[in-house]
Amino acid sequence: MATKKDAKGPSMFETFQEFKETKNIDRTTLVSVLEESFRNVLAKMFGSDENFDVIVNPDKGDFEIHRNRVVVADGDVSDENKEIALSEAQKIEPDYEVGEEVSEEVDFQKFGRRAILNLRQTLASKILELDHDALYQKYKDKVGTIVSGEVYQMWKREVLLMDDEGNELHLPKAEQIPADSYRKGETVRAIVKEVQNENNNPRIILSRTSPEFLRRLLEAEVPEVNDGLIAIRRVARMPGERAKVAVESFDDRIDPVGACVGVKGSRVHGIVRELQNENIDVINFSNNTQLFIQRALSPAKVTSIKLDEENHKAEVYLQPEEVSLAIGKGGINIKLASMLTEHTIDVFRVVSDAEADDEDIYLDEFSDEIDQWVIDSIKAIGLDTAKAVLNAPREMLIEKADLEEETVDHLIEVLKAEFE
């Protein structure tokens, strides 16, 4: 039989060491990849790898390759890769006969630098591909969950984080809370928003602005949510400013709002701090849309609601002193209520009997004092008369009609003058 030769020169050992420590690939898969890479190189060199035995041991960083050839009579060799002449076989072992199989260890190093380079390139390509596949699958399974990463690099458009295995995590500017500030080396928590995989090159995108991030923080902080006794039905956020969360209890003995907020806000305090002092309103969820909208507009007290379920719209009527509460600073309360209830909410002041007795006037009658394009913009949001405009909140006119504050103020001044 063949005597063993040292098939592991220093450069081949280095090749193995380079791929021995792979972050995301299990040992069985690594062995398979190493064997396949050797076989690819052998097949290129000899036309076939069928008659080779490849044994790899990534733990020790070594390998063995044996070539199996059939002994044929001298002069009858038709394929030097699969056959060996009797005289050559007997140099290995004197008692070999025609028809027997010779197993001979191959010194891969003797194939030259080109073969070793080919092997290294094949190995690198395959392991990188597997590494990317494993990374993609690992984080694909984590979409919607909170992960931590250490700040590695900060750019204008994104922050680059590293997980504990050295994988890159990307936190784009649009997914950062406006008041967030980062220092190199600090740990940051965020939710895995998505995993892109263009050209098998995984890019893990994180988010701190997603409503799901707040949902997961509440699940971690409130045991009743984690245990399934309380369900978080809806979450709406204006990141870093304010959020509304609708919750429901499956146990009549548990107050879902109280359980989520905690004594003196103890359970949301840490979350508020994590979200850069984002004010969190927790309300009771209801399948009754009118009641849900009413709760969502808290702290304002609603007088009546006119629903258009088909178009997911609601006209909400409030006493004049409640209107500003319903809208909130910069319109934030009504925006969050609309997001939470999934209805477009329009707020109107309740008209007193004296105001109702006054005759209304169509907006087109004011074309000599108000530019037509302004009238058209107001009519486009469903307000056709002077009283309809005066009963609508100023902030709503600015936002929904997309008009400048000065333009809206002039409009209101002209319309008010008509009824004075």
Side-chain angles (χ1 to χ4, degrees):
M1 293 296 290
T3 55
K4 288 192 176 182
K5 299 177 185 176
D6 181 16
K8 302 173 282 295
S11 61
M12 286 306 300
F13 183 77
E14 286 164 14
T15 297
F16 250 82
Q17 289 300 102
E18 194 172 324
F19 301 106
K20 191 175 150 188
E21 300 298 330
T22 50
K23 300 187 290 240
N24 299 311
I25 305 172
D26 62 84
R27 188 184 179 282
T28 305
T29 306
L30 181 60
V31 168
S32 174
V33 168
L34 290 167
E35 182 179 335
E36 187 184 346
S37 298
F38 273 113
R39 289 192 173 279
N40 282 347
V41 175
L42 292 169
K44 284 179 185 175
M45 294 179 67
F46 297 104
S48 171
D49 65 298
E50 292 174 9
N51 56 311
F52 286 89
D53 293 328
V54 179
I55 304 164
V56 294
N57 187 345
D59 295 337
K60 292 182 179 178
D62 64 9
F63 63 95
E64 292 178 15
I65 300 174
H66 296 266
R67 177 162 65 166
N68 304 310
R69 292 186 287 178
V70 176
V71 179
V72 296
D74 290 357
D76 287 350
V77 176
S78 59
D79 183 347
E80 290 187 358
N81 181 41
K82 295 181 178 178
E83 297 172 339
I84 184 171
L86 178 61
S87 57
E88 289 297 315
Q90 288 177 342
K91 287 177 185 177
I92 299 169
E93 199 76 46
D95 54 356
Y96 271 128
E97 295 179 5
V98 172
E100 289 187 331
E101 188 175 76
V102 174
S103 182
E104 186 181 15
E105 187 165 347
V106 176
D107 185 352
F108 195 88
Q109 188 111 326
K110 288 184 179 177
F111 293 150
R113 289 179 57 82
R114 196 166 188 172
I116 294 171
L117 184 61
N118 194 345
L119 174 68
R120 287 171 67 88
Q121 289 174 338
T122 305
L123 268 174
S125 174
K126 285 186 174 296
I127 287 180
L128 184 63
E129 186 180 327
L130 273 171
D131 207 33
H132 283 177
D133 284 346
L135 180 61
Y136 174 76
Q137 202 52 57
K138 174 184 176 179
Y139 274 94
K140 193 71 179 169
D141 293 342
K142 287 187 175 184
V143 169
T145 62
I146 293 175
V147 295
S148 297
E150 188 177 294
V151 175
Y152 182 74
Q153 196 79 43
M154 291 162 287
W155 295 294
K156 189 175 181 181
R157 293 187 177 180
E158 72 172 19
V159 172
L160 179 65
L161 309 174
M162 291 286 187
D163 70 7
D164 54 7
E165 293 179 340
N167 297 309
E168 294 184 353
L169 312 173
H170 301 265
L171 181 59
K173 186 72 177 173
E175 303 300 333
Q176 298 170 24
I177 296 170
D180 276 343
S181 61
Y182 304 96
R183 293 187 305 276
K184 192 167 183 177
E186 76 172 328
T187 300
V188 173
R189 287 201 294 172
I191 200 167
V192 180
K193 183 183 180 185
E194 63 173 317
V195 184
Q196 299 167 352
N197 199 29
E198 192 173 338
N199 299 322
N200 194 33
N201 189 21
R203 183 178 170 85
I204 300 140
I205 308 296
L206 306 184
S207 175
R208 285 174 52 79
T209 61
S210 166
E212 208 61 27
F213 186 42
L214 174 51
R215 182 189 293 271
R216 297 302 177 204
L217 289 171
L218 279 166
E219 286 175 358
E221 199 65 39
V222 183
E224 292 87 346
V225 174
N226 195 40
D227 294 342
L229 298 172
I230 294 174
I232 299 171
R233 290 299 189 196
R234 305 263 177 90
V235 179
R237 289 181 68 194
M238 301 289 282
E241 292 185 60
R242 194 167 169 185
K244 285 183 183 283
V245 181
V247 295
E248 185 178 24
S249 174
F250 297 116
D251 187 332
D252 292 339
R253 296 168 297 177
I254 297 174
D255 167 23
V257 174
C260 289
V261 174
V263 179
K264 295 183 180 178
S266 58
R267 286 183 170 176
V268 294
H269 182 69
I271 299 173
V272 169
R273 194 167 57 245
E274 173 77 54
L275 302 180
Q276 302 295 347
N277 295 320
E278 190 171 305
N279 190 359
I280 301 170
D281 298 337
V282 184
I283 66 166
N284 281 301
F285 175 79
S286 175
N287 286 313
N288 180 323
T289 307
Q290 289 204 16
L291 179 58
F292 190 35
I293 291 172
Q294 187 176 320
R295 289 172 177 171
L297 284 169
S298 175
K301 292 186 176 74
V302 175
T303 301
S304 63
I305 298 174
K306 185 179 175 184
L307 269 182
D308 178 359
E309 288 280 27
E310 189 177 339
N311 296 304
H312 290 270
K313 289 184 177 181
E315 290 182 1
V316 178
Y317 295 87
L318 307 101
Q319 295 299 325
E321 66 274 12
E322 298 291 329
V323 171
S324 59
L325 284 174
I327 292 170
K329 186 179 178 182
I332 195 168
N333 197 58
I334 194 169
K335 283 178 190 172
L336 285 171
S338 293
M339 290 161 64
L340 194 73
T341 61
E342 297 172 355
H343 278 68
T344 302
I345 300 173
D346 292 330
V347 172
F348 297 95
R349 282 184 280 267
V350 173
V351 181
S352 66
D353 292 340
E355 290 175 309
D357 288 341
D358 290 337
E359 191 176 338
D360 206 351
I361 305 169
Y362 283 106
L363 287 181
D364 290 319
E365 300 291 324
F366 296 90
S367 57
D368 55 338
E369 297 176 83
I370 302 168
D371 290 336
Q372 189 61 46
W373 67 270
V374 175
I375 293 173
D376 291 341
S377 296
I378 296 294
K379 287 168 69 177
I381 64 170
L383 305 176
D384 298 325
T385 68
K387 283 187 183 175
V389 174
L390 292 173
N391 287 332
R394 173 179 175 274
E395 292 85 351
M396 193 180 90
L397 297 173
I398 293 167
E399 185 183 340
K400 297 197 72 176
D402 196 22
L403 296 171
E404 295 291 331
E405 290 188 27
E406 295 81 3
T407 306
V408 170
D409 288 341
H410 173 66
L411 170 71
I412 292 171
E413 191 180 324
V414 170
L415 299 182
K416 272 186 177 177
E418 187 64 31
F419 295 101
E420 286 175 354

